DNA sequence: CCAAGCTCA
């Protein structure tokens, strides 16, 4: 610890923090900022008046760093030094240095908006710009005004955007702490390669033949590319002349690799053997591989983005940012001076790459974020003007407001409702929290809890599919239930209840091709959600899973009905005479049911007239993923609500001063009078008319 | 008839 660079800056840091409410610390890898800043301020007495909080974007980091700090201070983890992550709070009365996930601090701020227990809040790894860190940055800006006398905020960031963060906090001081990295020499391709797969193959072999020992880390974009490159590398290495160079092992590394294969990168290679690690960006920050001396950087990354105008997600291969490129290069200089080969021209690096990755807040659906901010009841708060470091587009915020309105979380003036307040308590996306609340009314809370928990873990349930596991799809494999035809939500419910009946048997998961870790996570989430619901209802709810009781169609019906309320913003109507759907949102999209769905067709081969979907994902085509059949009478009230929607009122009521788009004008609630005048007993024609008006409006 | 980067309350 004594030889960490940051220790030499101790006095300077203390002095700057004492004089300023906010300080930005630029600390490169190996500077010791994550473990030392908290200890420095602890030594200076900042823990006498409160706790020092250090936020982290990842669970493993919170746990391992706090363990390290406890060790350095010679105390037991969980006493003076502790951590708080989901499902696990290892802090006590004695705790004065607390490492926590940014999302946990946001939860705490719900019940204690001034965060009075903390004397210092350190936002670590802020340059990663996680959604939650960005919200915290905005909240800190307000908080330091309210608590000017007794709160210090430190933000750690990367060289490239330190200035920007400083400007955001009224030009607060920036301190630079050097890292302990070895120099890394950078090489560029003359041109952008036609195929970065071929280019990385060639570069890798060149290194292997010409360069001294040291492992090679290759950054690719996804599982497919990784598998292809691993195969080609193996072929090429084998075809090299025996004895012409050292041996080689080639290891893939990505998130959907089973854990036992992931950890192979941590065991040292046999002597006189070079390792090639072909990885996704998991090796950029989450996992650190020792022994790497050479990095090959394709310059690309796969990123998920949300389009607020269509409500659709897509997963695109995009260019990395300069911060990311530097981070990747740095992976070569951890143990020795290293070399980084960028498979793109230097001009691309200097002129084309963005300074920093587009922050998550500009790539996500913001319904949950907006609901959270509304529930904080910040004074004189216009959600569209919340002070973000990088504000999301007004289109994205308006999309969030519309979604929240449709599921009754906010009223027509944009004020949070009591339903919305309860929803904000639940660690779920708004559509699922709304479903839980509705299910409670219909007596199917237990089932809804299961569905919500299963959907929270859905991606980790099924093992990573590759060519070899291709046959094992969820609907044509094994004896797993099929949702009784109603769709994927019901299937998820049935799967969990079967597992529940085996007393959470691990072997049952394996037999049915479900990831054990994923299922255990579902169980934890379900338990947590049950507890929160109990707390809200003061313990009077029945959240038990059904024991050896066949679910009746009536239970499924109630559950589907609850889903139609929770997913009011994610409904679709089947088009006439074929199985394509049109979403019933503000801008209808033509979409298909994802082929992995278990939703069943009727005798005539037709899918249900109305469905809810968990998400829209645009891959080869736009698809609805996780689909459940609902009934027309449940959909109609939602269509009527859609008609009444007035975005100008929703977004703070400043009304005329806000620019009004075409769509806004047509949704002014004039037509509703006509609707009220219709004969009440003629329901069918009333519904039909509502539908036609709705669809006609779409056409414009 | 499809495809999945990584986190996290």
């Amino acid at each position: 610890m004594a030889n960490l660079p940051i220790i030499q800056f101790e006095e300077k840091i203390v002095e700057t923090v004492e004089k300023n409410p906010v300080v930005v610390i630029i600390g490169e890898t190996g500077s010791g900022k994550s473990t030392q800043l908290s200890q420095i301020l602890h030594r200076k007495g900042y823990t006498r008046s409160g706790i020092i909080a250090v936020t982290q974007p990842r669970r493993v980091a919170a746990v391992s760093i706090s363990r390290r700090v406890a060790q350095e201070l010679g105390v037991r983890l969980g006493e003076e030094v502790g951590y708080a992550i989901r499902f696990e709070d290892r802090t006590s009365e004695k705790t004065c240095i607390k490492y926590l996930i940014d999302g946990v601090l946001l939860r705490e701020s719900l019940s204690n908006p001034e965060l009075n227990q903390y004397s210092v809040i350190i936002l670590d790894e802020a340059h990663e710009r996680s959604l939650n860190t960005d919200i915290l940055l905005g909240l800190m800006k307000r908080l330091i005004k309210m608590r000017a006398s007794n709160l210090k905020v430190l933000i750690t960031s990367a060289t490239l955007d330190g200035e920007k963060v400083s400007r955001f906090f009224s030009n607060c001081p920036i301190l630079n702490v050097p890292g302990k990295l070895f120099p890394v020499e950078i090489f560029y391709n003359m041109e952008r390669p036609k195929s970065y797969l071929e280019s990385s193959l060639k570069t890798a072999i060149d290194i292997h033949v010409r360069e001294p020992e040291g492992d090679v880390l290759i950054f690719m974009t996804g599982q497919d590319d990784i598998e292809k490159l691993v195969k080609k590398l193996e072929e090429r290495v084998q075809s090299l002349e025996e004895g012409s160079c050292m041996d080689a092992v080639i290891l893939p590394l990505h998130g959907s690799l089973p854990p036992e294969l992931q950890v192979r990168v941590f065991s040292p290679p046999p002597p006189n053997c070079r390792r090639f690690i072909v990885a996704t960006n998991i090796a950029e920050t989450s996992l650190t591989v020792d022994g790497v001396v050479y990095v090959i950087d394709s310059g690309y990354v796969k990123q998920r983005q949300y389009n607020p105008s269509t409500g659709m997600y897509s997963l695109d291969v995009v260019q990395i940012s300069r911060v990311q490129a530097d981070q990747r290069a740095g992976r070569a200089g951890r143990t020795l001076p290293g070399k980084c080969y960028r498979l793109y021209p230097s001009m691309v690096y200097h002129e084309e790459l963005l300074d920093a990755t587009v922050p998550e807040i500009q790539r996500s659906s913001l319904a949950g974020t907006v609901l959270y901010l509304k529930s904080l009841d910040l004074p004189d708060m216009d959600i569209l003007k919340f002070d973000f470091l990088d504000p999301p587009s007004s289109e994205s915020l308006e999309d969030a407001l519309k979604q929240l309105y449709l599921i009754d979380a906010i009223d027509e003036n944009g004020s949070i409702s009591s339903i919305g307040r309860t929803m904000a308590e639940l660690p779920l996306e708004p559509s699922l929290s709304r479903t839980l609340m509705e299910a409670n009314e219909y007596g199917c809370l237990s089932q809804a809890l299961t569905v919500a928990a299963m959907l929270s873990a859905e991606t980790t349930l099924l093992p990573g599919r590759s060519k070899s596991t291709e046959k094992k799809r969820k609907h044509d494999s094994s004896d797993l239930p099929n949702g009784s035809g109603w769709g994927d939500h019901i299937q998820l419910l049935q799967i969990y209840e079967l597992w529940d009946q085996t007393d959470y048997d691990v072997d049952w998961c394996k037999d049915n091709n479900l990831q054990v870790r994923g299922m255990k996570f579902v169980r934890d989430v379900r338990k947590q959600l049950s507890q929160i619901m109990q707390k809200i209802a003061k313990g009077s709810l029945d959240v038990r899973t059904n024991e050896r009781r066949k679910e009746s169609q009536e239970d499924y019906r109630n559950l589907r009905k609850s889903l139609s309320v929770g997913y009011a913003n994610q409904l679709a109507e089947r088009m006439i005479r074929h199985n394509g759907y049109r979403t019933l949102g503000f801008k209808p999209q033509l979409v298909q049911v994802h082929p992995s769905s278990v939703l069943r067709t009727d005798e005539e081969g037709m899918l249900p007239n109305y469905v809810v979907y968990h998400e829209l994902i645009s891959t080869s085509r736009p698809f609805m993923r996780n689909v459940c059949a609902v009934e027309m009478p449940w959909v109609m009230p939602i269509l009527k609500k859609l008609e009444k929607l007035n975005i100008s009122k929703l977004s703070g009521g400043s009304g005329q001063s806000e620019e009004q788009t075409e769509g806004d004008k047509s949704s002014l609630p004039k037509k509703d009078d006509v609707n009220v005048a219709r004969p009440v007993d003629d329901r069918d024609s009333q519904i039909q008319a509502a539908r036609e008006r709705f669809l006609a409006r779409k056409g414009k």
Side-chain angles (χ1 to χ4, degrees), chain A residues 366-376 404 409-410 416 420 423-424 430:
Chain A
L366 296 181
T369 303
V370 170
L371 180 63
Y372 172 83
L373 289 174
K374 292 249 178 206
S375 74
L376 287 181
L404 291 172
I410 59 177
I416 188 166
M423 286 166 58

Side-chain angles (χ1 to χ4, degrees), chain A residues 399-411 434 564-571 584-586 637-645 650:
Chain A
D399 164 68
L401 290 168
K402 289 174 186 170
Q403 293 195 43
L404 291 172
Y405 171 69
L406 277 183
I407 56 178
D408 317 306
I410 59 177
D411 65 18
R434 183 68 182 91
S564 73
V565 175
Y567 284 91
N569 48 1
Q570 285 147 276
L571 286 161
L584 296 174
F586 318 99
I638 300 164
L639 290 189
K640 287 191 186 167
K641 203 167 174 189
L642 253 172
E643 281 186 50
K644 285 194 216 161
L645 195 136
L650 267 187

Side-chain angles (χ1 to χ4, degrees), chain A residues 274-331:
Chain A
R274 191 198 300 278
R275 300 191 303 164
F276 290 88
I277 294 124
V278 189
T280 59
N281 47 333
I282 195 171
E284 222 172 82
T285 47
S286 305
L287 293 181
T288 298
V289 186
D290 285 326
V292 172
V293 178
Y294 309 96
V295 162
I296 301 176
D297 174 15
S298 65
Y300 290 95
V301 68
K302 227 177 244 185
Q303 238 175 34
R304 189 175 144 99
Q305 10 229 5
Y306 178 72
N307 180 344
S309 73
T310 57
M312 208 162 327
Y313 279 97
S314 59
L315 200 65
D316 307 321
V317 173
V318 300
Q319 271 187 342
I320 58 172
S321 65
R322 271 198 288 275
V323 167
Q324 263 180 305
D326 293 349
Q327 175 71 25
R328 288 181 177 189
R331 293 310 208 176

Side-chain angles (χ1 to χ4, degrees), chain A residues 129-132 134-135 303-309 311-314 358-370 391-393 395-400 403:
Chain A
R129 304 296 303 279
S130 77
L131 178 57
N132 287 337
D134 269 20
I135 300 170
Q303 238 175 34
R304 189 175 144 99
Q305 10 229 5
Y306 178 72
N307 180 344
S309 73
M312 208 162 327
Y313 279 97
S314 59
V358 177
E360 203 184 346
I361 199 163
Q362 295 183 338
R363 296 187 277 117
S364 317
S365 168
L366 296 181
T369 303
V370 170
S393 67
E395 188 181 23
S396 181
L397 288 166
E398 285 170 4
D399 164 68
Q403 293 195 43

Side-chain angles (χ1 to χ4, degrees), chain A residues 454-494:
Chain A
M454 285 291 276
L455 282 169
S456 304
E458 210 254 345
T459 48
T460 60
L461 286 184
L462 301 167
R465 57 200 83 180
S466 61
K467 302 286 172 268
S468 55
T469 57
E470 195 164 16
K471 289 282 168 280
K472 295 168 181 169
R473 304 270 175 60
K474 67 174 179 183
H475 54 283
D476 55 26
S477 73
S478 69
D479 310 316
L480 285 178
N482 64 1
S484 309
W486 294 116
D488 305 298
H489 297 72
I490 305 297
Q491 186 199 29
L492 291 171
L493 169 67
Q494 293 170 336

Side-chain angles (χ1 to χ4, degrees), chain A residues 600-607:
Chain A
R600 197 189 294 153
T601 55
D602 63 15
E603 315 80 55
E604 280 142 38
M606 300 320 270
L607 290 166

Side-chain angles (χ1 to χ4, degrees), chain A residues 223-280:
Chain A
Q223 185 178 348
D224 258 19
D225 286 347
I226 289 173
E227 282 168 9
K228 278 186 204 148
L229 184 57
V230 166
K231 196 157 164 274
K232 290 191 174 195
L233 263 173
E234 273 166 355
E235 289 167 8
R236 286 295 291 276
V237 163
Q238 272 177 8
S239 71
L240 289 173
E241 204 178 317
E242 184 96 22
S244 65
C245 50
M246 68 184 99
D247 290 341
V249 284
I250 296 140
L251 301 171
L253 179 61
H254 53 82
S256 37
L257 212 61
E260 62 273 19
L261 291 183
Q262 272 188 25
V263 298
R264 285 196 302 175
V265 302
F266 296 120
S267 45
N272 198 31
C273 179
R274 191 198 300 278
R275 300 191 303 164
F276 290 88
I277 294 124
V278 189
T280 59

Side-chain angles (χ1 to χ4, degrees), chain A residues 115-135:
Chain A
L115 295 169
N116 286 310
Q117 67 272 42
Y118 299 112
S119 55
V120 178
I121 295 173
I122 303 176
L123 303 185
D124 202 6
E125 316 289 5
H127 59 274
E128 290 189 22
R129 304 296 303 279
S130 77
L131 178 57
N132 287 337
T133 302
D134 269 20
I135 300 170

